[in-house]
Each structure stands twice: as structure tokens, then as C-alpha cells.
Amino acid sequence: MRVRRRLTLLVVVGIVAGVALTRPQPLPDDALAGMTADPERGAVIFAAAGCAACHRAPGVDDGPLAGGRPFASDFGTFYAPNISPDPVQGIGRWTDVQLASAIQRGVSPDGGHYYPAFPYTAYAKASRQDIADLIAHLRTLPPDATPNQPHQVGFPFNIRRSVGAWKLLFANDDWVLGGDLTAEQERGRYLVEALGHCAECHTPRGALGGLDRGNWLAGAPNPSGDGRIPNITPGALNWSIQDIAIYLESGFTPDFDTAGGTMADVVLNTAQLSDADRTAIATYLKAVPAVPNPQ
């Protein structure tokens, strides 16, 4: 009887600890206190973060952030939500802190976990001022009342609380490229690892969907099943810094090929950055550890 009680107590303690550890953790109410947001500067953050590439409707090059674009994965198909300022279907009624919590903590206004198809684990590294500016810009965009589409995710991945456990395992706001970096390399790191979230596509993942940081930017299978997303470390990408910067502005490779697929959307965003920022991204890519392509 005593052993049974102890086991029961251990189970109860384990459940309580699990609930506590996996609970959503939004930003504090004063997270943006004292900040003056600049929507014009936020437009640059919007481009660097690639918001339009995911949240514009499929097949729409310009228009409201009505969502609906599907993202296939091993865990199901996720649909980008409407993040226009519409008060019903979009973010029009959200507070700034609720938006910041969604962007940097993956927590919804009603206190639930967002799936990490939304790259909040990268945006967590962004400065709070950049997030405030981004939010100010989002509020200037046209509203759209297109309803959100539900994700197509089966059991057990449809249990949102389990995302809290995923965050415990894989959410990491440490920089991947460390060491003594130049100011330009640090800026490139910020644009690649935080705002640009390049690793979300270019880094392989483990069985539970966590990024394999030991093979950072070394390429990965395309979730759509169409080919492979390339290795962009110096172990495979032999372009010069200038070559990379030109590609990020024009979409043209040194061999005069052009960016295609989702990378074409990325170039539409990086083309809006400054020459200095594109060069900083290129400088960072030349500094990451080289990972050769598998033979």
C-alpha cells in the first residue's frame, strides 16, 4: 500500500511538473513599455523577416496578408493565418504585446501554443524595438476578412500542449555562430539567424522537427517532396561575397541562372534591404562552418 501511494504521488508530481513546464509563456505586459514604434522602419523589418512571402494568399504577388498558403511537413499541412488588421479574421483587435508574444514566444492571444511552422524560435532573437516597429508597420496595411484555414494535423501532433514540450527541447535563443565577429558579421548573423530565419529551410531537422544545429545551413529535404533545399555553407557554396549580395538583390546567380520556387519570394524581400545589409548576410554566410555536401 505504501509503495502504491508513493507511485501515485510521483505520477501526480510528474503531471503537475509537466503542466507547469509546458505552459505557454507570453511576454510580460510591460514588454514594449517606453518604446516609440516607427512604422517606416518597420517596413524594412517586414521585408527582412519575410512576412509577405508566407502570409500573402497563394499566387498573389501583392495584396493583403490574408493567409492561406499551405506548408507541407512530416507532421501535417499547416496554413499561414490571416495577419492583416482585420478585426475579426486578422490581428486588428490584438494588443501590441499579444502580437509580440505571438512573434517571439509562439503564444496566441488566448494563451495557446502556436506550431513552430511559424518561425518564432528565430524571431525570439530579434530586438524588442524591431518587433515594435514591425507591429506598427503591420497596422498600416490593408485589412482583409478572409477566414483562416485550419491546419491539417493528425494525432498526436494536434495536441497543442505538446508544443510546450517541443519548445523545451528545441527553442534556443543562443546564436549559432559565435566567436569574435566583426560588426558586419554580427549584423549578418542577426539578419540570417533572427529576422531572416534562413535556417528554417536550409538546415536539416531531426525526427521531432528540431533544427540540427550541428549541420547549420547545410541543406535539407524540401518538405514538399520536390528536390532538396541547398547547402549554403562554404562547404558547398563557393560564390564570392559580391556574388551572394548580387543574388540577394537581383535573383541572378553567377552563372546567370535565376532564383526559383520559394527562393524567388525571398529575393523579393532581400531586394528591399540596403546594400550594406545584403553584404552583411553574405559575409555571415562565408563565416559559418563549412559542411560539405554528402557524396
Side-chain angles (χ1 to χ4, degrees):
M1 183 67 69
R2 186 175 298 174
V3 172
R4 184 179 298 174
R5 288 176 180 172
R6 288 178 178 175
L7 288 174
T8 301
L9 179 61
L10 286 174
V11 169
V12 170
V13 169
I15 291 173
V16 171
V19 169
L21 290 172
T22 61
R23 73 185 187 279
Q25 298 184 31
L27 292 171
D29 292 340
D30 62 352
L32 303 178
M35 293 186 180
T36 301
D38 182 348
E40 291 187 6
R41 187 174 179 277
V44 178
I45 308 303
F46 179 83
C51 305
C54 289
H55 290 280
R56 283 201 175 115
V60 177
D61 294 331
D62 193 12
L65 303 178
R69 179 166 294 192
F71 293 90
S73 78
D74 293 338
F75 310 100
T77 299
F78 301 93
Y79 291 89
N82 182 333
I83 61 167
S84 79
D86 183 79
V88 177
Q89 299 298 336
I91 59 169
R93 292 179 181 170
W94 297 19
T95 68
D96 287 355
V97 172
Q98 285 174 336
L99 259 172
S101 288
I103 294 168
Q104 295 201 284
R105 295 287 181 87
V107 178
S108 67
D110 61 4
H113 289 296
Y114 283 122
Y115 288 111
F118 179 22
Y120 49 79
T121 53
Y123 295 151
K125 300 178 183 180
S127 75
R128 203 59 54 76
Q129 182 64 60
D130 279 356
I131 298 302
D133 292 341
L134 171 61
I135 291 169
H137 175 68
L138 288 174
R139 298 203 185 281
T140 70
L141 301 178
D144 186 279
T146 300
N148 289 296
Q149 295 189 47
H151 302 308
Q152 297 177 0
V153 182
F155 182 83
F157 305 114
N158 59 349
I159 301 173
R160 291 281 185 145
R161 193 73 183 204
S162 67
V163 178
W166 187 94
K167 289 178 179 179
L168 284 175
L169 291 171
F170 302 114
N172 187 337
D173 59 5
D174 293 336
W175 298 111
V176 176
L177 183 63
D180 187 16
L181 305 182
T182 67
E184 186 173 52
Q185 288 170 333
E186 287 186 350
R187 177 61 178 169
R189 179 177 67 180
Y190 181 73
L191 290 167
V192 172
E193 294 192 21
L195 293 181
H197 58 279
C198 304
E200 296 295 315
C201 290
H202 287 278
T203 297
R205 296 177 181 272
L208 295 178
L211 292 175
D212 178 2
R213 290 164 67 98
N215 285 291
W216 191 250
L217 302 180
N222 192 327
S224 69
D226 183 18
R228 184 175 175 85
I229 297 168
N231 179 342
I232 55 174
T233 75
L237 186 67
N238 60 6
W239 299 356
S240 69
I241 288 175
Q242 184 179 22
D243 288 338
I244 297 171
I246 290 173
Y247 175 74
L248 294 174
E249 181 180 18
S250 67
F252 284 102
T253 72
D255 298 325
F256 299 101
D257 197 359
T258 57
T262 56
M263 193 61 203
D265 294 328
V266 173
V267 170
L268 289 176
N269 293 317
T270 55
Q272 300 176 58
L273 303 181
S274 66
D275 289 340
D277 275 352
R278 285 188 291 269
T279 300
I281 292 171
T283 302
Y284 168 88
L285 292 178
K286 301 298 285 187
V288 298
V291 180
N293 282 331
Q295 300 298 319

